[in-house]
């Protein structure tokens, strides 16, 4: 049992599981839900989705060295013959039957977190800006603490549990982004982490097609406060429509609220917005530059500053943290093509109506050169999709930029707007294929001049970063 993340008794107790088959030694040092990511000594948790049943990948997981496997009792009952060969002879792995493998993963992760009572646990959630705020906070808090944070945006019903299994002795702060795209998901992952501090970035319209209204989104996001105590703090954007609701909800759980926003963070003074180059401000009179562009990223930075100050960081610590901050892939990355003299704002990791509006406003505020907008579909909007895409197209055309749309959702919305002023000039590629991307790249290369800027934004499924590569590849234009 030496070196195992949880003992057999701990795992059985946490999951309510029953032992189906036991290997000679019980131990696991990592956890995976994807058989391709299993390594020697992993706990493999096969998940059941709409299209695939992870149990079918148990042989591959065992071949890669899985030492413990959770099994749905229902799956086992339906097909005991499939599992029988794994239990005979000298089994290489311990098999544990559970009612629901996803819930068992979450319960096991919650039990693992409990093994670190001294860890300062922080959850960051909101409709947009979660990952950026987490990365800013990570840069700041790392000046004083040894911080563990989830990689990228592993923040979901499975991503958050997998992330907390990376906590180790010596970590002082656990900084975890927490996302949701269905009802009760925040409730479930909040029960895993039980954050003492919670940062809300905003209440927008991401996933409104699933939850139905911003009120429902606010209610679901507020479940991050479920395990608050008298020592807990909620960091809430003061200008959000739901600021009072969020504060009252946190208060009912026993926590206090800290509101953040421009001109409301003690010791912080806004100096100037430098457009695509970021924001200048001061902390206790000392100059700081946030390299990430956009007023919304400045608000994300204010949230991180409030959190850092609550955890005892000095102004010098915070300033040094900002100096080490680098943009993340696909999130407001400003890429300069020195060969052509153009600027590319690559913001294609995700897209929803809120982030689209902010990104178009950002590039429109740039006062040098002409502007080009390449906007892809916003996915997972449900019944709100058509209206949301039309609103984005209207804003884009009104900005005066050259507008290029990509995807079937954008195409369908544009078709119903062709009679409106300016819409005849909008270019549209319903097909997001590589061929379309090459055609768009050719158009931009032909039309853009030194000093011009292009925004590339769409949902992750559109993979619009392909366009950036086409624009920045070396060699002569064809």
């Amino acid at each position: 049992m030496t070196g195992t993340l949880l003992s057999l008794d701990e795992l059985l107790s946490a999951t309510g599981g029953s032992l189906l088959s036991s290997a000679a030694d019980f131990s696991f040092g990592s956890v995976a839900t994807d058989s391709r990511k299993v390594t020697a000594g992993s706990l493999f948790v096969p998940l059941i989705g709409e299209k695939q049943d992870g149990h079918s990948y148990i042989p591959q997981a065992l071949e890669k060295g899985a030492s413990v496997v959770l099994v749905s009792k229902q799956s086992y009952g339906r097909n005991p013959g499939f599992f029988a060969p794994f239990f005979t002879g000298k089994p290489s792995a311990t098999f544990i039957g559970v009612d629901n493998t996803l819930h068992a993963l979450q319960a096991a992760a919650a039990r693992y977190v409990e093994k670190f009572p001294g860890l300062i646990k922080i959850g960051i959630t909101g409709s947009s800006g979660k990952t950026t705020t987490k990365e800013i906070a990570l840069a700041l808090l790392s000046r004083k603490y040894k911080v563990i944070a989830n990689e990228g945006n592993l923040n979901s019903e499975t991503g958050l549990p997998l992330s907390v299994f990376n906590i180790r002795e010596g970590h002082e702060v656990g900084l975890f982004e927490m996302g949701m795209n269905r009802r009760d998901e925040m409730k479930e992952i909040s029960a895993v982490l039980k954050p003492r501090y919670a940062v809300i970035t905003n209440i927008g319209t991401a996933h409104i097609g699933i939850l139905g209204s911003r009120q429902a989104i606010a209610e679901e996001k507020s479940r991050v406060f479920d395990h608050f105590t008298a020592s807990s703090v909620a960091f809430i954007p003061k200008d959000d429509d739901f600021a009072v609701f969020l504060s009252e909800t946190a208060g009912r759980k026993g926590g206090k609220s800290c509101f953040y926003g421009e001109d409301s963070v003690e010791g912080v003074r806004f100096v100037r917005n430098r457009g695509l180059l970021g924001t200048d401000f001061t902390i206790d009179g000392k100059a700081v530059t946030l390299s990430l562009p956009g007023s919304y990223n400045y608000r994300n930075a204010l949230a991180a500053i409030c959190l850092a100050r609550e955890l005892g960081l000095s102004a010098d610590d915070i300033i040094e943290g900002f100096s080490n901050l680098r943009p993340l892939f696909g999130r407001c990355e400003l890429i300069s093509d020195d060969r052509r003299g153009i600027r590319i704002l690559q913001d294609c990791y995700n897209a929803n109506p809120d982030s689209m509006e902010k990104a178009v406003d950002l590039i429109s505020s740039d006062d040098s050169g002409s502007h080009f907008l390449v906007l892809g579909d916003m996915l997972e909007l449900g019944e709100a999709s058509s209206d949301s895409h039309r609103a984005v197209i209207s804003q884009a055309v009104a900005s005066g930029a050259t507008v290029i749309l990509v995807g079937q959702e954008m195409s369908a919305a544009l078709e119903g707007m062709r009679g409106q002023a300016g819409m005849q000039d909008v270019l549209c590629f319903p097909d997001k294929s590589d061929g379309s991307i090459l055609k768009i790249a050719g158009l931009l290369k032909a039309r853009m001049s030194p000093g011009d800027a292009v925004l590339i934004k769409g949902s992750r499924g559109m993979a619009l970063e392909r366009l950036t590569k086409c624009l920045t590849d070396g060699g002569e234009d064809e």
Side-chain angles (χ1 to χ4, degrees), residues 137-203:
L138 176 60
L140 305 189
L141 296 178
S142 294
R143 301 303 305 166
K144 178 172 180 164
Y145 298 100
K146 186 173 181 182
V147 184
I148 177 68
N150 39 5
E151 296 180 3
N153 67 336
L154 283 173
N155 61 18
S156 65
E157 60 187 2
T158 57
L160 190 279
L162 291 174
S163 293
V164 303
F165 275 113
N166 291 320
I167 299 170
R168 297 292 183 269
E169 290 292 342
H171 285 138
E172 299 168 297
V173 171
L175 178 66
F176 294 98
E177 176 183 342
M178 302 171 70
M180 61 88 189
N181 61 12
R182 63 170 175 82
R183 293 187 185 277
D184 291 333
E185 187 169 1
M186 184 60 65
K187 171 187 175 182
E188 292 171 13
I189 61 176
S190 181
V192 171
L193 183 63
K194 299 181 178 68
R196 175 181 173 187
Y197 301 98
V199 178
I200 306 288
T201 60
N202 54 27
I203 302 299

Side-chain angles (χ1 to χ4, degrees), residues 180-318:
M180 61 88 189
N181 61 12
R182 63 170 175 82
R183 293 187 185 277
D184 291 333
E185 187 169 1
M186 184 60 65
K187 171 187 175 182
E188 292 171 13
I189 61 176
S190 181
V192 171
L193 183 63
K194 299 181 178 68
R196 175 181 173 187
Y197 301 98
V199 178
I200 306 288
T201 60
N202 54 27
I203 302 299
T205 55
H207 308 304
I208 197 168
I210 298 171
L211 293 175
S213 69
R214 290 182 67 221
Q215 178 65 42
I217 292 171
E219 291 170 359
E220 182 65 25
K221 294 290 186 183
S222 71
R223 300 303 299 263
V224 73
F225 308 139
D226 275 3
H227 301 274
F228 264 24
T229 65
S231 65
S232 298
V233 182
F235 298 88
I236 298 169
K238 70 168 189 175
D239 57 352
D240 195 280
D241 298 350
F242 292 89
V244 173
F245 167 79
L246 293 169
S247 178
E248 290 177 347
T249 304
R252 285 196 296 271
K253 302 294 184 178
K256 68 176 184 178
S257 297
C258 176
F259 295 95
Y260 66 89
E262 195 168 317
D263 300 325
S264 67
V265 178
E266 184 179 355
V268 178
R269 185 176 70 85
F270 172 82
V271 175
R272 64 168 174 153
N273 183 341
R274 301 177 64 202
L276 298 183
L277 297 179
T279 303
D280 290 338
F281 61 102
T282 62
I283 299 178
D284 293 351
K286 299 177 180 179
V288 190
T289 295
L290 172 68
S291 58
L292 305 179
S295 58
Y296 50 95
N297 278 325
Y298 178 55
R299 287 193 292 275
N300 293 337
L302 293 175
I305 292 170
C306 288
L307 175 64
R309 289 205 143 165
E310 178 71 24
L311 295 183
L313 269 72
S314 67
D316 288 340
D317 287 333
I318 295 171

